[in-house]
Amino acid sequence: MVKGSASKCVLSGGNWNNTSNAGVWNSNWNNNRTNSNNNVGFRCDCKSSNSAKRKWNYRDVSFLHYAKSISSAFLVGVFIRKSGDTNNEELKLKRIGNLFETVFSSENLYLAYLDARKGKRKKKACFDFEVNLGFHLKNLHDRLHAGTYRPGPYKEFTVYEPKERVIHAPAFMDTVVQHAIYRVIYKIFDRTFIDTSFACRKGMGTHKASVYTQKALRACPDDSYTLMLDIRKFFYSINRAILKKLVEQKIKDRRLVDIMMMFAEMETPDGIPIGNLLSQIYALIYMNPIDHFVKRVLKIKHYVRYVDDFILIGITRDQCLSFREKIIIFLKENLKLKLSKSTIQKVKKGLNFVGYRTWKSKKFIRKHSLYKFRTMVKKGNQQAAVSILGHAKYTNSLPYMINILKGLKNDIKIPKGYRRIYHVCSR
């Protein structure tokens, strides 16, 4: 040890076989190297190498300076549980900074381009970007780091299924930027979401939402009730100032947050564009507070949400009325949202949710989907017909749909996974 550096020396030790002197903040240096005790621990020696154990706060500058040499596994343990800390300040450490360089590094931008081009390589915008790939990625990198990047204008068009909506399609270069952001921030926010939020998440989707819903119905008495709620014009009602605050609760890199919020801008006072990749995770972030309110404050055991549709299952009618009022107040005061509709009915009547009509013992796709399937079969639309078959794969509607295929003249090719059912229905 260098003379005069005792006040900054990091010591490790700590004999776990001791009683009052056990733990990471106590050293045990009097054993020889053959001693098999668990001499693992840490303490930063201040003023003297024989100083008494000290309670450290994560704000201590000297601790942070010298702890950089300690393994990340140890630091996690120290930050999560500090001696004598009875408050919840450690949660603040979960805010992550210095992400800008990671998100917009040359490597991540290239990987984002690979993600953005999936399913789009035949489109002109993707082709033009790919022809001069190196130039476009370098130009994009330089503009982002210089602070001169701005998203281009959207291409707007209207879709009418399942309902009329105006879609804002970004330019391909802006899609690359969104994928670069998404690749880094998704895991940061995903770990904060509850397990029964099924929309726009990896490994989730309508099938799993439907499976969970039926499982919850089976776990509840027939005479208990369900409360189904829907947000009015959800994407067009999102308050961008509130959204930014929710994002900043996890990300403290101002440059990154500013670019993220560029993809939430619209001409209207409220709302975010439908069509952006980031709008999907923005919807999850924005509705996350209501999920935790329902689970932690209202203490609902069986709860499921898909975008702006959410259901409380297995409660009494009085609870339905009480919880609905509390949710209305929470949405208004914290998220500036309003309910579009609400439905209260007994568990035995089932639920119409995520495209399925679900009861305890059976499940069907919606009647409109059956009508659309018949229409697509008549037109010989292979892709649309197979897509609806996939939607109905685990439902009681599938045999009926196979009979439609048998009864109508068509050129639809039955996928391998459905051929066994097709032959069974043919008997």
Side-chain angles (χ1 to χ4, degrees):
M1 180 174 63
V2 179
K3 185 177 180 180
S5 62
S7 62
K8 298 181 180 179
C9 179
V10 176
L11 304 180
S12 63
N15 190 339
W16 292 97
N17 293 328
N18 295 335
T19 55
S20 60
N21 292 326
V24 297
W25 304 109
N26 295 277
S27 60
N28 184 6
W29 293 93
N30 59 351
N31 295 329
N32 59 41
R33 66 176 59 190
T34 60
N35 192 323
S36 60
N37 289 341
N38 294 322
N39 293 322
V40 291
F42 172 88
R43 74 186 177 98
C44 184
D45 190 9
C46 291
K47 306 296 183 183
S48 171
S49 61
N50 296 318
S51 60
K53 67 180 181 179
R54 173 178 173 181
K55 295 180 181 179
W56 283 95
N57 188 283
Y58 65 86
R59 293 190 182 91
D60 194 293
V61 177
S62 62
F63 172 79
L64 291 177
H65 178 71
Y66 292 101
K68 290 180 180 179
S69 62
I70 310 301
S71 67
S72 59
F74 169 74
L75 288 179
V76 171
V78 174
F79 285 170
I80 290 177
R81 193 71 176 175
K82 301 184 295 297
S83 299
D85 191 10
T86 58
N87 58 36
N88 209 26
E89 286 188 337
E90 62 266 27
L91 293 178
K92 297 178 182 178
L93 293 173
K94 294 183 179 180
R95 292 185 70 224
I96 301 175
N98 303 319
L99 288 175
F100 186 90
E101 298 294 335
T102 301
V103 172
F104 299 123
S105 65
S106 299
E107 295 80 6
N108 196 54
L109 285 173
Y110 175 71
L111 294 174
Y113 152 72
L114 295 180
D115 291 338
R117 77 177 187 179
K118 292 178 180 178
K120 300 178 181 178
R121 299 197 71 179
K122 294 182 180 180
K123 294 188 176 181
K124 185 178 184 300
C126 180
F127 176 79
D128 292 341
F129 190 91
E130 193 169 28
V131 168
N132 295 304
L133 180 59
F135 169 79
H136 286 302
L137 288 178
K138 180 64 166 60
N139 180 49
L140 191 57
H141 176 274
D142 292 345
R143 289 168 57 197
L144 286 163
H145 284 260
T148 59
Y149 169 79
R150 294 292 182 274
Y154 293 101
K155 180 180 178 181
E156 297 184 9
F157 59 93
T158 304
V159 297
Y160 299 92
E161 290 291 341
K163 57 184 178 182
E164 184 176 346
R165 287 180 176 177
V166 178
I167 304 299
H168 297 76
F172 185 79
M173 182 176 291
D174 299 328
T175 302
V176 172
V177 176
Q178 291 189 55
H179 274 281
I181 298 171
Y182 187 86
R183 285 176 53 82
V184 175
I185 71 166
Y186 175 81
K187 290 183 179 180
I188 296 173
F189 287 99
D190 185 66
R191 64 182 64 134
T192 69
F193 303 146
I194 66 172
D195 293 337
T196 55
S197 172
F198 289 93
C200 307
R201 296 177 68 189
K202 297 176 182 179
M204 300 294 194
T206 55
H207 283 297
K208 289 196 174 182
S210 178
V211 168
Y212 173 83
T213 301
Q214 189 171 50
K215 183 179 179 180
L217 289 174
R218 289 171 177 171
C220 300
D222 285 342
D223 58 350
S224 61
Y225 285 80
T226 62
L227 172 61
M228 186 170 181
L229 305 168
D230 180 25
I231 303 296
R232 178 182 297 172
K233 296 182 178 180
F234 172 59
F235 281 94
Y236 302 114
S237 301
I238 290 178
N239 184 289
R240 292 190 288 271
I242 295 176
L243 174 62
K244 185 176 182 180
K245 290 180 180 179
L246 293 173
V247 170
E248 289 176 335
Q249 287 179 5
K250 298 299 296 180
I251 299 177
K252 60 181 179 180
D253 192 317
R254 183 174 299 177
R255 288 193 298 169
L256 177 58
V257 173
D258 288 343
I259 292 180
M260 289 176 63
M261 294 309 298
M262 290 180 185
F263 295 104
E265 293 177 357
M266 291 184 68
E267 295 179 356
T268 55
D270 292 318
I272 61 176
I274 301 176
N276 277 333
L277 170 67
L278 290 179
S279 292
Q280 299 177 9
I281 196 167
Y282 290 164
L284 289 168
I285 294 169
Y286 203 80
M287 289 295 287
N288 196 37
I290 189 65
D291 292 341
H292 289 278
F293 175 75
V294 172
K295 294 294 291 184
R296 298 174 184 273
V297 179
L298 301 185
K299 305 291 185 181
I300 302 300
K301 182 178 181 180
H302 301 293
Y303 168 78
V304 57
R305 182 175 66 80
Y306 197 90
V307 192
D308 60 331
D309 296 321
F310 50 109
I311 310 175
L312 289 66
I313 304 172
I315 55 181
T316 66
R317 181 172 178 80
D318 289 340
Q319 285 177 323
C320 287
L321 297 173
S322 174
F323 292 161
R324 181 175 62 183
E325 292 305 313
K326 291 179 180 179
I327 289 172
I328 289 174
I329 294 172
F330 182 89
L331 289 171
K332 180 180 180 181
E333 293 182 351
N334 295 277
L335 302 176
K336 310 299 182 185
L337 296 175
K338 296 180 180 179
L339 290 181
S340 172
K341 58 183 178 181
S342 63
T343 304
I344 299 174
Q345 61 185 27
K346 288 189 175 181
V347 164
K348 64 181 180 181
K349 290 188 176 181
L351 289 166
N352 190 343
F353 182 59
V354 293
Y356 299 96
R357 296 173 292 151
T358 306
W359 291 264
K360 285 187 175 184
S361 59
K362 54 186 180 291
K363 179 166 57 178
F364 299 92
I365 63 174
R366 290 172 177 168
K367 293 181 180 180
H368 175 73
S369 297
L370 289 173
Y371 169 78
K372 186 176 180 180
F373 177 75
R374 179 184 288 272
T375 303
M376 295 300 104
V377 170
K378 286 181 179 180
K379 292 181 177 180
N381 190 327
Q382 172 79 22
Q383 184 177 358
V386 171
S387 176
I388 302 174
L389 274 176
H391 177 60
K393 187 172 184 178
Y394 303 106
T395 71
N396 300 86
S397 298
L398 194 55
Y400 174 75
M401 298 168 72
I402 296 297
N403 286 329
I404 291 177
L405 285 171
K406 289 168 50 185
L408 297 176
K409 292 182 179 181
N410 62 85
D411 297 324
I412 303 296
K413 295 180 181 179
I414 307 298
K416 291 183 179 180
Y418 302 89
R419 290 176 185 174
R420 184 181 62 82
I421 300 174
Y422 183 85
H423 291 305
V424 170
C425 295
S426 300
R427 295 174 183 175

